[in-house]
Amino acid sequence: MPELPEAEVVARQLRARLLGAQLNDCLVGRADIVREGLHTLLWYHGAVLEGVERYGKSVVLGLKKEDETRYVVAELGMTGLLLFRTTQTKYPQHVHVRMSFTGGREPELRYWNPRRFGRMSLLDRAGLDRYRARRFGVDPLTVPCDEFVRLVQAKRGRLKPLLMHQQVIAGIGNIYANEILFRARLHPNREVNRLRGATIVTLYDTMQTVLREAISCGGSSVKDFYAPDGTEGRYRLRHLVYGKEGQPCPNRCGRIIRRLQSERSSFFCPACQSNRLLG
DNA sequence: AGCTCTTCCTGAAAGC
DNA sequence: TGCTTTCAGGAAGAGC
């Protein structure tokens, strides 16, 4: 399931291999995979890929033609991937969009998404700005620490849902929320308004450390994440709690990693991640 | 405004 | 063994 680090890895590969290439043809296999802008599809033919951005967990391609730039937004959702042509998948019937390029290092980019929880959108500049404002909160890697502290202090409710709330903090999903909270020694159900400022700073530092480390490992390959060129992410090997229910706590505290299934699965150590009023 | 609940969808895993 | 059922998961929309 692609979250921020995986989307970043995808964006970097697309930049390295397709920046400056010309989009020749864009084939949409099923109309309902495009959330918005399908009627503008033909505009993109002949446009040049001038930039690739990541917003939260989404990858945005900027395509320029005759002094105008329009955008292809790829929401990866749970199972969505952008793949180069040479990367084989077990289920080729779920390739929904094919974009062919000339002048780059790859002839084709494919949008593959078996479960179709994500969509694509074709947007002009104003549409992209609206999309961005509506859906994405601050970026965890670029938000200044003091702004993050103020943002968290203004919220109430449980900590893990807040970390995963894309309109507040964009890009953290279930895997990284669990890993960040374990390393910051914070219980997933901690009440946000009971966190001290210093604790939020620790959370901020941990969040950035985990996400940066995951990016440098190529992301986490859990349930079939592959980069566009087919390489797997190695950060899964460094997971400490995600998917480790029943195993001993890596801090050697003697307790067993538990799983709370009330909402999205929370994996945590009941001793190291206390829900008491520690700060 | 801001919660929670339901829906979307398919492959994998569990259940029988 | 092989069929059926359940479940996972992100985000939108409904309902309160």
Side-chain angles (χ1 to χ4, degrees):
Chain A
M1 49 215 76
E3 303 180 20
L4 183 151
E6 291 76 29
E8 182 66 32
V9 168
V10 171
R12 289 180 183 186
Q13 281 204 359
L14 299 193
R15 269 180 223 130
R17 304 202 69 83
L18 282 171
L19 220 53
Q22 185 176 47
L23 177 67
N24 288 328
D25 201 8
C26 185
L27 296 171
V28 176
R30 44 183 307 153
D32 67 358
I33 209 71
V34 179
R35 189 189 297 286
E36 202 178 326
L38 182 59
H39 63 285
T40 67
L41 185 63
L42 285 177
W43 181 91
Y44 291 84
H45 292 199
V48 170
L49 186 70
E50 65 160 12
V52 182
E53 298 296 319
R54 174 193 57 74
Y55 292 174
K57 308 172 185 175
S58 294
V59 176
V60 182
L61 310 182
L63 290 137
K64 188 174 187 181
K65 183 181 169 185
E66 293 158 11
D67 292 333
E68 188 187 358
T69 303
R70 295 192 191 181
Y71 302 87
V72 175
V73 179
E75 299 166 15
L76 303 178
M78 236 188 73
T79 54
L81 297 177
L82 289 169
L83 301 173
F84 298 136
R85 196 176 65 186
T86 46
T87 303
Q88 302 296 314
T89 82
K90 251 189 288 182
Y91 305 98
Q93 68 270 30
H94 298 305
V95 172
H96 302 305
V97 178
R98 293 167 194 271
M99 307 170 88
S100 66
F101 288 92
T102 48
R105 295 178 174 181
E106 296 290 336
E108 189 170 291
L109 183 64
R110 297 170 172 176
Y111 178 73
W112 179 83
N113 197 345
R115 222 162 280 186
R116 306 207 299 278
F117 276 21
R119 293 280 185 276
M120 295 185 89
S121 295
L122 306 175
L123 304 171
D124 61 13
R125 182 73 233 177
L128 181 69
D129 290 343
R130 278 195 302 274
Y131 175 88
R132 189 174 192 179
R134 190 173 65 240
R135 294 180 52 136
F136 300 100
V138 299
D139 191 275
L141 292 181
T142 57
V143 63
C145 185
D146 57 341
E147 188 184 333
F148 181 78
V149 172
R150 282 197 301 273
L151 187 70
V152 171
Q153 281 176 332
K155 299 291 177 184
R156 285 176 292 120
R158 295 172 176 184
L159 182 53
K160 181 156 170 272
L162 175 66
L163 274 185
M164 294 172 64
H165 197 303
Q166 301 303 302
Q167 282 128 302
V168 180
I169 303 158
I172 298 172
N174 199 35
I175 294 173
Y176 292 103
N178 279 301
E179 293 298 317
I180 290 164
L181 290 171
F182 175 78
R183 287 166 173 81
R185 303 178 79 98
L186 291 165
H187 193 286
N189 289 342
R190 272 291 286 272
E191 286 294 325
V192 170
N193 62 357
R194 291 183 178 176
L195 296 172
R196 289 187 300 133
T199 308
I200 303 173
V201 172
T202 300
L203 176 64
Y204 174 86
D205 290 339
T206 308
M207 170 178 82
Q208 293 208 337
T209 301
V210 167
L211 295 175
R212 291 202 174 109
E213 200 178 322
I215 291 168
S216 70
C217 288
S220 301
S221 286
V222 175
K223 292 185 183 164
D224 293 336
F225 165 75
Y226 300 98
D229 69 357
T231 50
E232 290 190 31
R234 302 178 312 278
Y235 193 72
R236 190 175 63 85
L237 303 173
R238 300 199 195 178
H239 288 181
L240 298 178
V241 288
Y242 183 80
K244 302 204 182 282
E245 180 189 17
Q247 298 183 30
C249 171
N251 290 342
R252 300 167 184 252
C253 71
R255 299 290 292 272
I256 297 294
I257 298 302
R258 288 186 49 198
R259 173 183 188 161
L260 278 179
Q261 260 176 307
S262 48
E263 62 278 337
R264 298 219 158 67
S265 305
S266 292
F267 299 92
F268 70 106
C269 171
C272 298
Q273 292 165 270
S274 165
N275 202 9
R276 283 176 293 124
L277 283 173
L278 292 175

